[in-house]
Amino acid sequence: MISQPGIGVLGTGAYVPDAVRTNEEVAERAGVPPEWIAERTGVLRRHVAAPGQASSDLAAHAVRAALRDAGLEPGDLDLLILATSTPDELGPSTACRVQAALGAENAVAFDVSAACAGWLFGARVACDWLRAEPRGRHAAVVGVETYSRFLDTGDRATGVLFADGAGAAILGRVPGGHGFGPITLGSDGTRAGDVLIPGGGSRFPACRETLERGLHLIRMDGRAVRKFILEIFPLAAAEALRRSGLTRDDIALVVTHQPNPVLLRQACAEAGFDPARLVIVADRVGNIGAGSLPYALADAHRQGRLSPGDRVLVVAFGAGLTWGSGVLTWSADGSGSR
């Protein structure tokens, strides 16, 4: 029997702005020692978008890199899905801005809003679309944030963690037995207040009062979010293994959203995985939200940590609350591109 082709990763790309904000800089504003940030979070540096540089600009850089890695041109894209909590505008979709910037005139473009889990939500949609669309060949899924525009730098719960960056992957048909297995997604809207940007939407439209109250800045209940991550990580990981018919020993790498390295290593260990298999990038780039997971995947690819046939456990979690997991059997060759 001839196995049916799967949907997998053909290329990866990542981008962070040039400007770097060190622990010494953010510590002074947050009123904590630099050592406190390193010990409590594991974040050592983060990147900040230049004035006038928007989420679409960062995303376009990452998608271009992923296209180069896949040996494709923008015109080869049939679908472009962008995940973000920090769009260029409330409308139109930031994906349409990226489509225009790339010149990807053949691509259907739209956004998904699932916070830090958004890239995996987008990947699930792209996989289903490519399987169902007879003429669908290639999809770009990119996660991006410019959190620096929405930070209270005096808030140590958020000001030391969140940063700017993007990660992208090109999805397409791969040999049978490779690509994404079942992707499971979940949401719990009763906890939407655990982490959010309250102002600027239809509930609290931007005005002088919302600006004075700081409602356009990220607010996070750190303890609640930490508890959620430690609860959902083992459950989501176990579900991915169960649906794929695999065990922990079958997993070569664990690629996840990157809230902070300290918490991530704890969650990985409590889920029964060797932390040595965990891909860590947040020490260098901070929490870049929807860009974190694809950035980590691109980094692992670029570093030569992935070989064809390797099984990658992918786990995402974010505001909403939202989460998801799945197993990706790697098929792309090469070392990746920056």
Side-chain angles (χ1 to χ4, degrees), residues 188 191 194 223-237 263 267 270-271 317 321 323:
D188 179 6
R191 298 180 61 183
D194 286 358
R223 290 184 179 180
V225 170
R226 174 186 174 84
K227 180 180 178 182
F228 162 64
I229 292 171
L230 293 177
E231 289 174 348
I232 202 62
F233 194 107
L235 295 175
L263 178 57
E270 292 185 4
F317 36 86
L321 297 172
W323 63 88

Side-chain angles (χ1 to χ4, degrees), residues 20-320:
V20 173
R21 190 170 287 167
T22 65
N23 278 357
E24 286 71 23
E25 292 175 279
V26 300
E28 182 178 357
R29 296 167 183 165
V32 296
E35 297 77 17
W36 182 92
I37 300 174
E39 292 171 3
R40 295 286 292 270
T41 73
V43 176
L44 304 178
R45 51 186 277 166
R46 66 285 293 151
H47 292 255
V48 180
Q53 195 174 34
S55 288
S56 63
D57 300 311
L58 277 58
H61 280 294
V63 175
R64 287 191 190 100
L67 285 167
R68 288 196 301 269
D69 192 41
L72 297 172
E73 299 294 332
D76 295 320
L77 290 178
D78 303 295
L79 180 67
L80 195 162
I81 301 177
L82 183 143
T84 190
S85 298
T86 55
D88 286 16
E89 304 100 359
L90 290 179
S93 71
T94 300
C96 286
R97 294 291 192 190
V98 176
Q99 182 211 37
L102 296 174
E105 67 277 359
N106 299 317
V108 176
F110 59 88
D111 291 356
V112 297
S113 180
C116 300
W119 184 86
L120 192 58
F121 276 61
R124 166 65 188 270
V125 173
C127 286
D128 292 346
W129 190 90
L130 288 169
R131 291 187 182 107
E133 176 56 52
R135 292 178 293 179
R137 302 163 301 159
H138 307 114
V141 185
V142 57
V144 61
E145 307 291 357
T146 50
Y147 280 137
S148 63
R149 306 285 199 267
F150 304 92
L151 275 182
D152 176 359
T153 56
D155 177 17
R156 68 181 186 180
T158 58
V160 304
L161 293 175
F162 291 96
D164 304 342
I170 306 301
L171 306 190
R173 289 173 175 80
V174 295
H178 294 76
F180 284 97
I183 297 174
T184 303
L185 305 175
S187 305
D188 179 6
T190 66
R191 298 180 61 183
D194 286 358
V195 53
L196 76 166
I197 302 174
S202 60
R203 186 173 302 279
F204 298 110
C207 64
R208 178 177 296 178
E209 180 184 359
T210 61
L211 292 174
E212 290 174 348
R213 294 171 58 191
L215 298 185
H216 60 296
L217 304 178
I218 300 170
R219 295 186 177 184
M220 181 173 74
D221 182 337
R223 290 184 179 180
V225 170
R226 174 186 174 84
K227 180 180 178 182
F228 162 64
I229 292 171
L230 293 177
E231 289 174 348
I232 202 62
F233 194 107
L235 295 175
E239 178 66 7
L241 294 178
R242 184 190 69 79
R243 295 196 65 188
S244 299
L246 301 172
T247 69
R248 293 184 185 91
D249 292 337
D250 296 316
I251 299 301
L253 281 183
V254 180
V255 178
T256 77
H257 168 52
Q258 307 266 322
N260 73 67
V262 171
L263 178 57
L264 197 52
R265 289 189 179 99
Q266 180 182 348
C268 186
E270 292 185 4
F273 292 91
D274 181 354
R277 300 184 190 180
L278 182 64
V279 178
I280 295 286
V281 296
D283 54 343
R284 290 171 278 139
V285 301
N287 183 339
I288 55 173
S292 291
L293 195 160
Y295 190 100
L297 186 65
D299 189 76
H301 187 198
R302 183 173 62 244
Q303 299 296 332
R305 297 183 65 182
L306 287 164
S307 299
D310 281 352
R311 293 186 173 102
V312 183
L313 174 66
V314 180
V315 182
F317 36 86

